[in-house]
């Protein structure tokens, strides 16, 4: 145990941290090594905003083994998931970064070390001297702000060609085209596009995916995420709001959008039974279908969700491109009193009597979210014509888990007041009628701007882990 004025560090291992009898091995073999338990406890009088655990070369002793041949992995006590790490380098000696270690609180992490198999025989009979060092910061300095971390992954050299791009974060200009810096354009948003993207995040102890970074109505940038899997076995038979009964459950994995038992159905998300149910249960974590979907979320997760304005414009699924869908979803400026008078009257793309916008926490994917998840070369193609064919093969969203049936999307269809857009199991954007059809549901939400990363790189095996 090492103690200072503000921190106790206790290191526990039977034989000490010793690689003296190690041979180079694979990462899988390295994960079987004995773990080192490190307990950090704030024993001072000041909250620690950030702490960095480092494994550094000891400059007071001469090492003959280069530290680039030492590999490591760190896991947390509540989630023993060991991941492949980088090798140690002089400029990459931080093995763990944590936040908000308040007075009297402690944190336990586990460390494993091994010699990289790439070293071969040349690293045998060498010595290495190192030490575990912890640096404390009273302020976290917002160095790992989630928005900035995601934006730092921008693929700046993507030209739009399929040949030089497999996937990543791209910028979109105001016209809905791929942003090109040399054209002196203004960025509208950042989106993950293509098939191979590291946009995984742990939310509510589940795997979610980052859609991108978007500006709200106050020009603040927020991250939008979607659940990697559809909901399952959580829907109640009915849900009652203001004495109005809504049919919710179709079966264990499907739900009705807006099916009041007593009145005509309308494609108005603001008054939909599914919307009411998804956003209910915010005060407790009961995990009871009758209490609403929010009852399945932890308090920490609920605190991360931002109330944000969703746009409820209609789209023409048979002719709208992703770019056009995006424009029509948000084409509500000419709607009088934030409601539609009739579809397309005065340019208002909202059905008569429906709300043009809705402010809330949890909604569904926009049709344009799916469209923009493909290569940018498909952003000018209609959703009906392409997304069941080649474009879907370039979309990370088309590869999310359990997409084996129809899923509701957020935007109403322009065909009739009781039709809503959907995403089919063969990756086509189409429409479905409200009164008689039920589909799967994939919750979508925005995170507050003060959410930060505690660890992770966004890959499926090492998703971003968050704190607020």
């Amino acid at each position: 145990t090492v103690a200072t004025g503000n921190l106790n560090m206790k290191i526990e291992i039977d034989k000490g941290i010793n690689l003296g009898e190690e041979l180079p091995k694979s990462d899988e073999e390295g994960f079987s090594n004995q773990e080192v338990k490190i307990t950090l406890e704030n024993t001072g009088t000041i909250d620690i905003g950030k702490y960095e655990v480092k494994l550094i070369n000891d400059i007071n002793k001469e090492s003959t083994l280069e530290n680039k041949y030492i590999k490591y992995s760190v896991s947390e006590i509540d989630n023993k998931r060991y991941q492949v790490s980088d090798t140690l380098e002089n400029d990459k000696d931080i093995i763990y970064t944590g936040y908000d270690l308040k007075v009297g609180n402690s944190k336990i992490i586990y460390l494993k070390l091994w010699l990289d198999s790439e070293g071969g025989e040349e690293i045998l009979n060498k010595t290495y001297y190192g030490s575990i060092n912890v640096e404390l910061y009273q302020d976290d300095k917002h160095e790992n702000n989630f928005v900035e971390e995601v934006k730092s992954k921008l693929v700046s050299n993507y030209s739009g060609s399929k040949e030089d791009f497999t996937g990543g974060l791209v910028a979109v200009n105001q016209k809905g085209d791929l942003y090109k810096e040399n054209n002196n354009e203004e960025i509208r948003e950042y989106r993950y596009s293509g098939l191979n993207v590291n946009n995984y995040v742990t939310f509510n102890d589940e795997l979610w995916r980052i859609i991108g970074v978007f500006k709200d109505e106050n020009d603040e940038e927020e991250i939008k995420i979607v659940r990697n899997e559809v909901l399952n076995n959580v829907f109640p038979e009915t849900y009652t709001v203001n004495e109005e009964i809504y049919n919710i459950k179709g079966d264990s994995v499907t739900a009705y959008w807006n099916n009041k038992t007593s009145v005509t159905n309308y494609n108005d998300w603001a008054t939909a039974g599914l919307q009411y149910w998804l956003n209910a249960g915010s005060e407790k974590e009961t995990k009871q279908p009758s209490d609403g979907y929010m009852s399945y979320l932890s308090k920490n997760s609920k605190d991360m969700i931002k109330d944000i304005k969703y746009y409820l414009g209609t789209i023409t699924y048979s002719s709208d491109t992703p770019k056009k869908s995006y424009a029509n979803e948000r084409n509500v400026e000419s709607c009088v009193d934030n409601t539609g008078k009739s579809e397309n009257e005065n340019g208002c793309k909202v059905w008569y009597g429906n709300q043009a916008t809705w402010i809330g926490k949890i909604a569904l994917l926009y049709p344009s979210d799916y469209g923009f998840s493909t290569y940018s070369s498909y952003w000018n193609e209609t959703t009906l014509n392409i997304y069941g064919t080649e474009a879907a093969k370039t979309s990370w969203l088309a590869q999310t888990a359990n997409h084996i049936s129809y899923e509701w999307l957020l935007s109403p269809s322009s065909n009739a007041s009781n039709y809503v857009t959907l995403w089919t199991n063969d990756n086509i954007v189409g429409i479905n009628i409200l009164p008689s059809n039920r589909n799967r549901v994939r919750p979508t939400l925005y995170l507050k701007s003060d959410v930060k990363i505690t660890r992770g790189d966004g890959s499926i095996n090492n998703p971003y882990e968050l704190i607020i």
Side-chain angles (χ1 to χ4, degrees):
T1 301
V2 179
T4 71
N6 289 303
L7 188 76
N8 276 0
M9 177 171 66
K10 185 177 183 181
I11 299 177
E12 299 176 56
I13 189 172
D14 291 343
K15 299 179 181 179
I17 303 175
N18 187 359
L19 294 176
E21 299 178 359
E22 281 283 300
L23 293 175
K25 59 180 61 175
S26 67
D27 294 329
E28 184 176 356
E29 292 173 317
F31 292 155
S32 65
N33 277 9
Q34 186 178 14
E35 61 192 19
V36 182
K37 181 180 179 182
I38 303 174
T39 303
L40 302 174
E41 182 183 7
N42 186 342
T43 56
T45 59
I46 300 174
D47 290 340
I48 297 172
K50 183 176 76 171
Y51 51 98
E52 295 175 342
V53 181
K54 298 183 177 184
L55 185 59
I56 62 175
N57 197 339
D58 190 340
I59 60 175
N60 296 317
K61 297 181 180 179
E62 183 177 355
S63 296
T64 58
L65 173 68
E66 294 183 72
N67 58 1
K68 67 179 182 180
Y69 293 118
I70 299 179
K71 299 203 77 172
Y72 67 92
S73 185
V74 175
S75 182
E76 299 184 59
I77 187 173
D78 56 352
N79 191 2
K80 283 198 174 184
R81 179 176 52 207
Y82 288 97
Q83 309 296 342
V84 177
S85 73
D86 294 326
T87 52
L88 284 171
E89 298 178 15
N90 289 330
D91 59 344
K92 293 182 179 179
D93 56 7
I94 299 174
I95 61 173
Y96 182 81
T97 301
Y99 296 89
D100 294 332
L101 187 59
K102 299 187 181 301
V103 173
N105 288 356
S106 61
K107 176 71 177 182
I108 297 176
I109 60 175
Y110 295 95
L111 170 67
K112 292 189 176 186
L113 300 172
W114 64 96
L115 297 180
D116 188 10
S117 60
E118 296 295 324
E121 292 186 2
E122 66 180 272
I123 68 174
L124 300 180
N125 299 315
K126 301 288 180 70
T127 59
Y128 173 81
Y129 299 96
S131 62
I132 292 181
N133 193 333
V134 182
E135 294 187 2
L136 311 178
Y137 301 85
Q138 185 175 351
D139 185 3
D140 64 11
K141 303 185 186 303
H142 307 284
E143 292 176 359
N144 285 69
N145 177 277
F146 196 18
V147 169
E148 296 306 317
E149 175 70 16
V150 170
K151 287 169 59 177
S152 72
K153 307 299 184 182
L154 179 66
V155 181
S156 58
N157 61 348
Y158 176 40
S159 65
S161 169
K162 302 175 189 177
E163 287 73 26
D164 61 359
F165 180 73
T166 59
L169 187 75
V170 301
V172 183
N173 66 19
Q174 294 295 325
K175 295 180 181 180
D177 295 317
L178 184 68
Y179 165 83
K180 294 183 175 61
E181 189 174 6
N182 55 1
N183 291 350
N184 196 29
E185 300 172 332
E186 182 179 352
I187 295 176
R188 186 179 76 187
E189 65 216 14
Y190 300 83
R191 290 183 179 269
Y192 281 97
S193 167
L195 195 58
N196 300 316
V197 296
N198 289 326
N199 65 343
Y200 292 89
V201 60
T202 299
F203 180 80
N204 195 46
D205 293 325
E206 302 167 337
L207 203 59
W208 288 54
R209 305 292 292 273
I210 304 167
I211 299 171
V213 180
F214 304 87
K215 291 182 179 179
D216 64 14
E217 58 183 328
N218 298 315
D219 278 342
E220 292 185 3
E221 291 182 317
E222 318 291 351
I223 287 178
K224 184 178 183 181
I225 63 174
V226 60
R227 198 173 189 267
N228 191 53
E229 298 189 32
V230 296
L231 295 181
N232 192 2
N233 294 322
V234 296
F235 302 108
E237 294 288 345
T238 61
Y239 190 70
T240 302
V241 179
N242 296 328
E243 299 183 353
E244 194 74 63
I245 301 174
Y246 294 82
N247 293 330
I248 299 293
K249 182 178 180 178
D251 53 42
S252 63
V253 294
T254 63
Y256 291 103
W257 160 297
N258 179 11
N259 194 11
K260 293 182 181 180
T261 58
S262 59
V263 297
T264 306
N265 292 272
Y266 292 103
N267 52 16
D268 183 5
W269 177 255
T271 59
L274 181 58
Q275 177 269 115
Y276 289 130
W277 180 81
L278 282 172
N279 288 273
S282 59
E283 297 302 321
K284 50 189 175 180
E285 185 182 355
T286 62
K287 296 186 178 181
Q288 295 295 320
S290 59
D291 290 333
Y293 172 65
M294 291 281 278
S295 75
Y296 286 84
L297 303 185
S298 66
K299 182 181 185 305
N300 187 55
S301 298
K302 284 182 280 202
D303 288 344
M304 292 184 184
I305 306 174
K306 179 169 183 174
D307 284 291
I308 204 160
K309 179 183 287 186
Y310 290 86
Y311 295 89
L312 306 179
T314 63
I315 74 162
T316 305
Y317 78 99
S318 59
S319 60
D320 282 0
T321 65
K323 291 167 50 177
K324 187 64 174 176
S325 295
Y326 181 94
N328 286 337
E329 290 158 3
R330 292 158 179 78
N331 190 3
V332 299
E333 296 300 323
S334 59
C335 301
V336 179
D337 299 326
N338 197 38
T339 58
K341 296 304 178 185
S342 66
E343 202 274 332
N344 277 332
E345 180 179 349
N346 300 321
C348 174
K349 293 286 290 183
V350 178
W351 278 103
Y352 178 78
N354 285 7
Q355 283 190 212
T357 60
W358 171 78
I359 296 176
K361 295 184 183 296
I362 298 179
L364 306 174
L365 288 165
Y366 287 115
S368 62
D369 288 332
Y370 174 44
F372 279 111
S373 70
T374 65
Y375 283 165
S376 64
S377 55
Y378 292 106
W379 294 355
N380 288 311
E381 301 289 338
T382 63
T383 56
L384 175 66
N385 291 339
I386 65 168
Y387 290 132
T389 56
E390 293 303 311
K393 297 177 182 178
T394 73
S395 164
W396 65 266
L397 198 51
Q399 311 306 317
T400 45
N402 291 349
H403 180 56
I404 56 177
S405 184
Y406 288 15
E407 295 183 27
W408 289 121
L409 297 175
L410 184 61
S411 301
S413 164
S414 60
N415 288 55
S417 62
N418 58 353
Y419 278 85
V420 175
T421 52
L422 59 83
W423 177 22
T424 71
N425 60 343
D426 51 1
N427 293 304
I428 293 174
V429 172
I431 59 173
N432 220 335
I433 191 170
L434 289 169
S436 58
N437 287 292
R438 58 189 186 268
N439 301 304
R440 295 189 173 215
V441 176
R442 196 179 298 260
T444 306
L445 56 90
Y446 290 80
L447 299 173
K448 294 177 179 177
S449 57
D450 55 352
V451 170
K452 299 184 181 69
I453 300 172
T454 59
R455 61 173 301 180
D457 59 14
S459 63
I460 188 171
N461 292 320
N462 192 20
Y464 292 120
E465 297 184 13
L466 309 176
I467 193 171
I468 186 165

